[in-house]
Amino acid sequence: MKARSISSAAEFQAYCEELRAKGQTLGLVPTMGALHEGHMALVREAAQHATLVVVTIFVNPTQFGPNEDFQRYPRDLAGDFRKCEAAGASVIFTPNVEDMYLPGDATRVQVSGLTEHLCGPFRPGHFDGVATVVTKLLALAGRCVAIFGRKDYQQLKVIERLVLDLHLPVRVVGHPIVREVDGLALSSRNAYLSSEERVRALAIPKALSLAVAEHRAGQRHSGVLRERVVAAFTEAELRVEYVSFVHPETLVPYADEAELPQVCVLAIAVFSGKTRLIDNVVLGLDAPPIVPGARG
Ligand code: AMP
């Protein structure tokens, strides 16, 4: 089905209102494009909660640091349109920067607490950029169900918080992480990896699976488990930014001396070569990223 393509913010807002007035309900999937199967799973999830799916594609400059990859972030609008239409999206919103950040733009949305942990200290300003652009997109879309991936677990929690705090008429739904057969989480940034870096990155799902297995077997010592995961990364020559066990809702980390609870999140950020990769698993709830016996 051909999707309606909109690039003007005012037109997008008016069209969303028009659709609702006609009795449609909207499922919103905000993305930065270079879409893959993970994004498509979000589109299909959106279709289960709403009568029409709206995908937004916007590489948001304010969430990138000065030394990050804004300029070279992968872009493939033609491919994105094809994939969205095949997955059943009805509207695709591709605003330009000047329409999202108007001349004289002076407003930022800042979520505190949740953003102090995990990626927060390593990417100053990142979550302000995310919270701001998502608030703008939700303000334009209006009442909807918005789908976000648990791949960006901290981002999901930040968005849940801002929707609550700002009384936005939006229901946020988190979608499980979509992985390759060998366990690597799908990410637009995987395109940066050389084949050798891609092989090394497999230590991520392996280490997370090891942590799931040990936690299931009763290992509750945060420091011991953390050391295991760090050692697996070091052995694979992945540079560790953080390996943290955190509370699933507050994201407050458990100290190395702490005893881990039945359910907690193991979140990691590592570099394979120059590419920064993040991943996570909810210990006590999620299946291991690498299912024993599955083909790799
Ligand atoms: P991005 O375009 O990378 O900013 O991601 C757009 C949305 O897709 C976010 O809600 C991400 O969490 C989600 N997403 C990206 N990769 C995956 C994945 N492998 N599994 C599930 N959701 C994902």
Side-chain angles (χ1 to χ4, degrees):
M1 189 189 60
K2 188 118 182 70
R4 167 138 173 195
S5 165
I6 302 179
S7 59
S8 140
E11 186 187 338
F12 176 62
Q13 191 167 43
Y15 190 56
C16 289
E17 270 171 23
E18 186 186 320
L19 290 170
R20 268 189 305 273
K22 286 184 179 151
Q24 304 283 4
T25 58
L26 305 186
L28 186 76
V29 181
T31 78
M32 297 207 298
L35 302 179
H36 50 63
E37 253 316 295
H39 299 114
M40 292 310 106
L42 267 55
V43 171
R44 289 190 291 270
E45 168 101 48
Q48 293 185 4
H49 300 274
T51 58
L52 275 185
V53 178
V54 177
V55 177
T56 72
I57 301 176
F58 180 61
V59 186
N60 172 38
T62 65
Q63 72 187 71
F64 290 79
N67 299 317
E68 294 185 354
D69 55 344
F70 174 66
Q71 291 301 342
R72 69 181 200 114
Y73 193 83
R75 288 161 171 90
D76 175 23
L77 262 192
D80 290 348
F81 268 74
R82 249 188 291 110
K83 289 173 196 166
C84 285
E85 287 175 344
S90 299
V91 182
I92 306 175
F93 177 46
T94 55
N96 53 40
V97 175
E98 294 71 30
D99 221 6
M100 290 303 278
Y101 295 94
L102 299 174
D105 154 73
T107 304
R108 288 293 175 274
V109 178
Q110 191 168 52
V111 177
S112 56
L114 291 168
T115 57
E116 286 164 21
H117 314 294
L118 304 176
C119 294
F122 297 99
R123 302 190 71 188
H126 168 70
F127 287 112
D128 296 354
V130 169
T132 302
V133 79
V134 170
T135 302
K136 286 169 185 275
L137 291 169
L138 296 179
L140 292 171
R143 182 172 297 279
C144 66
V145 176
I147 320 292
F148 293 89
R150 285 193 219 134
K151 160 82 174 19
D152 301 273
Y153 191 92
Q154 187 173 20
Q155 170 175 285
L156 172 63
K157 293 294 140 187
V158 166
I159 290 161
E160 285 174 352
R161 187 74 244 173
L162 80 82
V163 163
L164 199 66
D165 288 346
L166 300 178
H167 303 283
L168 300 179
V170 174
R171 186 157 68 85
V172 175
V173 171
H175 187 84
I177 301 177
V178 179
R179 299 176 178 281
E180 306 270 12
V181 219
D182 60 11
L184 187 67
L186 289 171
S187 163
S188 307
R189 290 191 168 99
N190 289 353
Y192 298 149
L193 297 170
S194 70
S195 50
E196 190 240 337
E197 289 164 349
R198 171 76 177 64
V199 169
R200 282 196 270 146
L202 278 184
I204 301 169
K206 279 189 193 143
L208 297 189
S209 301
L210 176 94
V212 171
E214 296 220 353
H215 182 264
R216 272 185 187 168
Q219 177 58 266
R220 289 290 184 276
H221 193 295
S222 173
V224 170
L225 215 44
R226 214 179 82 80
E227 263 321 301
R228 296 261 156 83
V229 174
V230 170
F233 291 156
T234 312
E235 196 181 325
E237 294 179 35
L238 299 178
R239 182 162 69 78
V240 175
E241 189 171 83
Y242 65 77
V243 170
S244 296
F245 296 92
V246 300
H247 185 281
E249 294 305 319
T250 64
L251 307 185
V252 172
Y254 293 97
D256 274 351
E257 308 74 45
E259 184 175 327
L260 294 173
Q262 195 66 33
V263 175
C264 63
V265 177
L266 165 57
I268 67 97
V270 298
F271 285 85
S272 187
K274 287 195 165 73
T275 303
R276 183 176 181 276
L277 301 169
I278 59 169
D279 204 341
N280 69 82
V281 67
V282 185
L283 300 177
L285 290 182
D286 284 348
I290 299 178
V291 185
R295 275 189 320 120

